Amino acid sequence: MTSILLIGESDEHGEVSQSTLQAVAAAKSLSEPNITVTFSGDAPASASSLSVDSIVSISAVSNSDDGIYEQSTAEIASLVTSNNPDVVLLSKSDFGSLVGARLAFRSDLSFAADCTELSNENGALVVTRPVYGGSALAEFIVASTPAVVTLRAGAYEPSTETGSPAIESIEPQSIEQFAYVTDTVAETRDGVRLEDAGVVVSGGRGLGGPEPFSVLKDLANALDGAVGASRAACDAGWIDHSHQVGLTGKSVSPDVYIAVGISGASQHMAGCSSSRAIVAINKDADSNIFKEARFGVVGDWEKVLPSFLASVRELKA
Amino acid sequence: MVLAKQVPDPETPPSQFKIDESTNSVVPPNGVPPVVNGFDLNAVEAALLLRDAGADVEITVLSVGTDFVMDSMKKTLAMGADRLVLVDDDGLDKIDSAATVKVLATVIEKDGAFDLVLGGRQASDWDQAHVPLGLAEVLGLPLVSLVQKLELTDNGITVQRVITDGYQEITAPIPAVLTVTNELGEPRYPNLRGIMQASRKKPEVFSLADLGLSSGDLAPKLKLTKLYVPESNQQVELIEGENEADSGKKLALRLREEKLI
């Protein structure tokens, strides 16, 4: 049997988050799983039909307690001590990454972050994770338990099975808190957020200057999308760094990622490789981007893009 | 204290990225020297901004590893850091993040008083974002991640922490551990004077034995069994029209056919 303590999260609608449903699917792929899902704060109503063994709510702790999750970490650390699971599974969200690392180091546990695959081999847990910006995969055997594992978004299809778990609620303990959030400031942005966009139109070194980004912006507008850029284009000052996609920029996973004049260096691909479909427009047929793309046009963007934009507008009209 | 890591240049073309599967390690590309992890330069920049704002700061850059390329590591001194402390030991070749944290905690405690430990948001080689987080736990210090702005106050720090739709203002006592994000701004380029000064400075180098540690203390909890380049099963469908403009049009129609747009 594999006992799993899964750290659940709710989304902005108060439902069990998609990333937590993915983690449930990952947990269920292990041998004879016994799954407990715990929520910092009250469990969402939809948790009561998850296909797991039990649900534990740590009442009165908000999921965003102090912005750095000191309270949640302390609560989950006590649960790990009392339950002694084989695997503590979290999503690689802001919350999961931070709490996962803190838990592992606080209690000197094995830690595997950002995993894309979990399995059992001869009774031991085996994990796979991308390294070097996705250029390589590393496979590890986890020798000691409990092991803390964070799971990359999209690595598993969300679990759709239903069940009737036992439901329990525990009272939070009091802890010494170090840091306090004194204010939360919302920043408004023009148009669709790059990270949320269903379509991203990105430009790179091949554009040759700042002006072509206005064509990219027109195309993004026509597709209700957002504009991205490679590091080379940002470093050249053609567009603000807030548009940068890649290892040292933003990670995006739109339905369509249109790469214009981008060679596809691994540092860039690390930020867009989980897109549903990559579309490449580049005049160099040997560019790495064509190895990653589903659709491509080998040609000069100055000639390809205007007719592409015109056709998109016609189709959208 | 600024934590810095030497990594393979992430701008290395994928065609030059090679793995030796017999030793489960990356073959260093010819002629492409390693660099300081880009996010760690953000952390150096954060420390320099405190100095620019008038604080009297001594900036020590700390790195753990082996086969250091001094020209790359000295970039932090050329930017304006005061000291470069390296733990350089063959026993550090393939250590995991838990062992890295152990070595860093030992050298930080040995080095004496400090007010802040700054680290980058993540490393570009193994993408492990958690060495500074672990260090905060091991040293028992407050931790704030993803800092885009930092101010010293009379009794601690006030920082801005990046969240999905804006930022949080957070106050914490010092000493504290912070991870710095690229929203802080571009790391400055070293000027000529900085480069000259850096060339005269000598890094302080320690071995594991100097710190009273042995490689046995640093055995990994996870055993690496395989490191490989994934096979791309993606086959690109090239759209070819009568001319480039026609290709553009056909591309739009093909994407519509696939219900992608």
Side-chain angles (χ1 to χ4, degrees):
Chain A
M1 190 193 75
T2 315
S3 63
I4 301 133
L5 178 65
L6 196 159
I7 314 304
E9 293 176 58
S10 30
D11 66 14
E12 66 272 25
H13 309 295
E15 304 280 336
V16 177
S17 74
Q18 286 298 305
S19 61
T20 295
L21 294 173
Q22 292 165 7
V24 169
K28 290 186 83 82
S29 75
L30 295 173
S31 73
E32 299 172 60
N34 181 292
I35 308 171
T36 298
V37 185
T38 183
F39 289 87
S40 281
D42 292 326
S46 53
S48 60
S49 59
L50 282 176
S51 169
V52 298
D53 299 280
S54 55
I55 302 288
V56 178
S57 302
I58 308 167
S59 55
V61 180
S62 143
N63 209 4
S64 60
D65 51 45
D66 47 13
I68 48 173
Y69 317 122
E70 288 176 358
Q71 177 86 38
S72 298
T73 308
E75 301 296 349
I76 296 164
S78 337
L79 258 185
V80 172
T81 309
S82 59
N83 287 21
N84 194 30
D86 297 312
V87 181
V88 183
L89 186 60
L90 305 98
S91 310
K92 198 202 157 232
S93 57
D94 178 52
F95 174 84
S97 308
L98 202 47
V99 171
R102 299 194 77 163
L103 272 180
F105 282 96
R106 182 168 301 186
S107 311
D108 199 18
L109 307 177
S110 309
F111 186 29
D114 196 19
C115 297
T116 52
E117 202 182 330
L118 311 183
S119 60
N120 296 105
E121 231 168 75
N122 305 324
L125 178 69
V126 176
V127 299
T128 302
R129 50 180 298 254
V131 293
Y132 294 100
S135 297
L137 292 174
E139 186 187 285
F140 298 91
I141 291 182
V142 184
S144 68
T145 61
V148 179
V149 176
T150 68
L151 190 69
R152 178 175 283 208
Y156 283 79
E157 290 294 322
S159 164
T160 52
E161 289 172 60
T162 54
S164 44
I167 295 180
E168 190 190 338
S169 181
I170 56 174
E171 290 298 315
Q173 51 191 316
S174 71
I175 63 148
E176 184 199 357
Q177 193 169 332
F178 284 121
Y180 292 89
V181 176
T182 54
D183 199 9
T184 300
V185 180
E187 286 176 335
T188 51
R189 294 176 179 79
D190 294 341
V192 191
R193 255 166 44 94
L194 191 51
E195 297 94 321
D196 299 336
V199 177
V200 172
V201 185
S202 261
R205 202 192 302 268
L207 293 185
E211 298 82 11
F213 275 96
S214 67
V215 185
L216 264 50
K217 187 141 209 291
D218 289 343
L219 181 57
N221 286 343
L223 292 165
D224 298 319
V227 173
S230 73
R231 178 164 152 181
C234 296
D235 282 354
W238 299 344
I239 188 165
D240 187 77
H241 272 99
S242 62
H243 292 271
Q244 188 183 321
V245 171
L247 192 61
T248 52
K250 297 195 162 100
S251 285
V252 298
S253 43
D255 291 332
V256 188
Y257 187 84
I258 304 175
V260 185
I262 289 179
S263 64
S266 60
Q267 105 87 21
H268 183 76
M269 300 317 295
C272 63
S273 57
S274 56
S275 306
R276 240 181 88 207
I278 293 174
V279 178
I281 300 173
N282 200 303
K283 63 181 172 194
D284 178 6
D286 294 328
S287 284
N288 188 61
I289 191 77
F290 288 116
K291 296 199 180 79
E292 311 270 347
R294 198 164 133 207
F295 299 99
V297 172
V298 179
D300 187 346
W301 68 267
E302 284 186 77
K303 301 203 178 91
V304 178
L305 216 49
S307 64
F308 180 62
L309 174 59
S311 303
V312 165
R313 281 186 171 141
E314 258 172 54
L315 291 168
K316 286 272 175 185
Chain B
M1 288 282 176
V2 181
L3 312 176
K5 181 178 186 184
Q6 176 176 293
V7 296
D9 192 336
E11 300 292 336
T12 307
S15 56
Q16 284 199 35
F17 185 86
K18 299 233 160 47
I19 283 176
D20 179 349
E21 295 195 1
S22 64
T23 60
N24 278 339
S25 59
V26 170
V27 181
N30 275 336
V32 187
V35 295
V36 177
N37 174 38
F39 289 109
D40 297 343
L41 295 178
N42 290 125
V44 176
E45 178 65 24
L48 291 166
L49 288 173
L50 288 178
R51 175 181 288 161
D52 293 348
D56 176 21
V57 292
E58 188 193 45
I59 304 169
T60 302
V61 173
L62 180 56
S63 190
V64 165
T66 185
D67 295 328
F68 283 108
V69 173
M70 230 35 98
D71 281 347
S72 298
M73 294 309 295
K74 274 192 162 185
K75 182 173 180 191
T76 56
L77 292 172
M79 285 172 70
D82 301 291
R83 299 165 60 213
L84 177 61
V85 176
L86 304 176
V87 183
D88 185 352
D89 199 298
D90 287 344
L92 295 169
D93 184 24
K94 278 185 187 155
I95 59 169
D96 65 3
S97 54
T100 307
V101 166
K102 197 175 270 183
V103 176
L104 287 170
T106 308
V107 73
I108 286 173
E109 279 170 346
K110 182 185 160 79
D111 201 66
F114 63 94
D115 297 304
L116 286 174
V117 177
L118 302 176
R121 193 181 82 180
Q122 66 185 70
S124 56
D125 53 352
W126 287 73
D127 296 357
Q128 301 263 30
H130 45 249
V131 162
L133 315 187
L135 197 55
E137 289 291 339
V138 169
L139 296 172
L141 295 177
L143 164 76
V144 185
S145 61
L146 301 177
V147 170
Q148 65 168 355
K149 196 161 178 234
L150 166 61
E151 261 174 71
L152 290 168
T153 58
D154 291 340
N155 45 14
I157 44 167
T158 301
V159 304
Q160 288 182 2
R161 174 177 193 269
V162 176
I163 52 174
T164 314
D165 290 308
Y167 61 87
Q168 296 169 318
E169 277 212 342
I170 296 181
T171 60
I174 54 173
V177 178
L178 307 178
T179 75
V180 173
T181 174
N182 46 312
E183 277 90 348
L184 179 108
E186 282 297 288
R188 64 195 63 188
Y189 285 103
N191 58 27
L192 196 58
R193 204 176 120 234
I195 294 168
M196 298 292 288
Q197 281 173 345
S199 70
R200 284 193 295 270
K201 281 182 194 161
K202 282 215 163 22
E204 299 156 51
V205 185
F206 299 96
S207 66
L208 281 180
D210 295 335
L211 300 172
L213 292 168
S214 71
S215 48
D217 297 327
L218 307 175
K221 285 200 169 66
L222 304 185
K223 190 168 165 279
L224 180 64
T225 46
K226 210 156 78 177
L227 180 68
Y228 59 102
V229 176
E231 295 230 351
S232 170
N233 46 17
Q234 185 68 47
Q235 194 65 42
V236 66
E237 177 182 328
L238 290 178
I239 313 287
E240 286 173 71
E242 287 163 19
N243 51 44
E244 286 164 312
D246 190 42
S247 304
K249 189 177 163 193
K250 286 209 164 75
L251 177 63
L253 294 171
R254 185 74 184 95
L255 294 181
R256 167 52 66 101
E257 204 173 63
E258 289 287 319
K259 299 193 172 63
L260 286 164
I261 59 173

